[in-house]
Amino acid sequence: MRYWLFMRNSLRVIIRSVKIGTGYLTRTRYLQMVGRAGRTGLSSSGDSFLLGTHSDKTLPHLVFGAVEDVRSSLNTDSLTLTLLHLIGSGMISSMADLGMFMKRTLLDIQQPDESLNLAERALHFLEEAKFIDRTEGGIKPTSFGKAVYKSSLDPTLAHSVLSGLRVANKHLVLQGDLHLVYLCVPPDVQNVYVDWSKYFDAYNQFDEVTRLTFTAAGLEESFLARRAFSHKKSDAVAEVPYTRFYVAGALHKLLSGVPSWDVSALFKIPRGTLQTTLNSAITHASKLALFTK
């Protein structure tokens, strides 16, 4: 989904598609976007254009439908991250503080009987994961929890990040930049299609440094071989580090000066996805810098 703003006699908004990635534009977001046309103080009127086809069934709803209900976004995962930030910053240091915070959330208004239960489950996860300590004196973050909080790492990924850094601390390959690039690829890298057969063929042509990096990252040739020649569905979790290495190879090519369209063709990764993945890697690298301080 793309939209542009044009300034001539008035402000115009042109929305080229009703899709956003794999999803669709909502009525609420549509109104927010077209509201940029002719804003108060800028012009007396504005124009908005929504482009679509007869197959876009959501068009009538976007223009004439009712606005979606506002729902709290504090689900289990987001509440976990929110509480870690509040505990890490010292805003919550006791169960009384937690209760006061939850009473002021939209979640408590919409689900008053469930909000404290969700908060307790989030606290239990943080304690089990060693992000916080709970004592009779209150709640406080551990040193690990402080590092996760300050770096804004996803708590569900923090342990795998730490594990990867510990492995790299013992076996970091410095003959090139590939291992460092691999560490900067987020563990939850998404939307990257991997042709495992071609991946295995490429492995057999790896130079010495690339093969050494592959091994130092804890990856195995046998997994690639099984994935390339087996038609059985593989464990998605087990594939993650191999997908990260695949993406790291593409980003390493970019950093080496290879044009993005050549990298896109070589790794079969759309240029848009390549750019998004590069931005994610840059963000993750910044988080790692804060996490390891």
Side-chain angles (χ1 to χ4, degrees):
M1 185 273 295
R2 297 178 182 176
Y3 70 97
W4 288 298
L5 306 177
F6 292 96
M7 179 72 79
R8 288 184 182 174
N9 296 327
S10 61
L11 198 63
R12 294 180 178 176
V13 174
I14 301 178
I15 303 174
R16 292 187 58 193
S17 172
V18 298
K19 295 198 70 175
I20 305 178
T22 58
Y24 287 88
L25 190 63
T26 64
R27 168 74 169 156
T28 302
R29 190 163 182 179
Y30 167 76
L31 289 176
Q32 185 273 331
M33 292 166 63
V34 300
R36 295 174 180 270
R39 285 183 289 181
T40 302
L42 295 178
S43 59
S44 60
S45 63
D47 301 311
S48 66
F49 299 85
L50 175 60
L51 308 183
T53 65
H54 291 294
S55 62
D56 293 327
K57 304 299 184 183
T58 61
L59 283 174
H61 171 72
L62 290 179
V63 180
F64 304 109
V67 175
E68 295 83 7
D69 291 336
V70 176
R71 304 297 302 175
S72 172
S73 62
L74 286 179
N75 53 40
T76 303
D77 290 338
S78 60
L79 183 57
T80 299
L81 182 59
T82 299
L83 292 185
L84 177 59
H85 282 202
L86 291 172
I87 294 169
S89 64
M91 295 181 67
I92 289 180
S93 58
S94 67
M95 291 301 293
D97 293 338
L98 176 64
M100 290 177 61
F101 166 74
M102 294 304 298
K103 286 295 182 183
R104 288 166 171 77
T105 63
L106 178 60
L107 175 65
D108 189 75
I109 294 174
Q110 294 178 333
Q111 302 179 54
D113 297 331
E114 280 297 312
S115 62
L116 285 179
N117 290 334
L118 287 172
E120 181 59 39
R121 286 201 291 270
L123 279 185
H124 180 72
F125 168 82
L126 292 173
E127 188 175 21
E128 288 291 308
K130 301 189 184 305
F131 294 130
I132 64 171
D133 283 329
R134 277 202 287 179
T135 63
E136 292 183 0
I139 309 169
K140 63 180 181 179
T142 62
S143 57
F144 180 43
K146 286 182 179 179
V148 175
Y149 150 66
K150 290 181 178 179
S151 64
S152 295
L153 274 175
D154 184 340
T156 62
L157 301 175
H159 282 282
S160 65
V161 169
L162 180 61
S163 177
L165 290 174
R166 283 173 171 168
V167 171
N169 190 44
K170 296 179 180 179
H171 307 289
L172 186 63
V173 178
L174 295 175
Q175 286 94 322
D177 299 327
L178 181 57
H179 202 165
L180 294 175
V181 174
Y182 170 78
L183 292 173
C184 292
V185 176
D188 59 344
V189 61
Q190 297 175 350
N191 300 323
V192 176
Y193 168 76
V194 177
D195 186 327
W196 295 96
S197 179
K198 290 185 178 180
Y199 193 175
F200 184 67
D201 290 341
Y203 170 83
N204 291 322
Q205 299 177 34
F206 280 175
D207 58 35
E208 183 179 352
V209 174
T210 304
R211 195 178 289 262
L212 182 62
T213 305
F214 184 88
T215 303
L219 309 182
E220 300 176 351
E221 177 187 2
S222 58
F223 181 92
L224 272 187
R226 288 195 305 271
R227 191 64 185 83
F229 298 109
S230 174
H231 297 291
K232 294 181 179 180
K233 190 173 182 179
S234 179
D235 181 2
V237 175
E239 288 181 1
V240 169
Y242 295 87
T243 302
R244 287 181 68 198
F245 195 85
Y246 184 83
V247 170
L251 298 184
H252 188 256
K253 289 284 186 184
L254 287 177
L255 293 175
S256 301
V258 179
S260 61
W261 47 85
D262 291 340
V263 176
S264 176
L266 179 62
F267 287 85
K268 299 294 186 293
I269 301 176
R271 288 177 62 193
T273 303
L274 200 60
Q275 182 62 51
T276 301
T277 305
L278 176 60
N279 292 338
S280 297
I282 292 171
T283 301
H284 189 63
S286 300
K287 292 180 179 181
L288 289 180
L290 294 172
F291 179 69
T292 55
K293 273 188 177 182

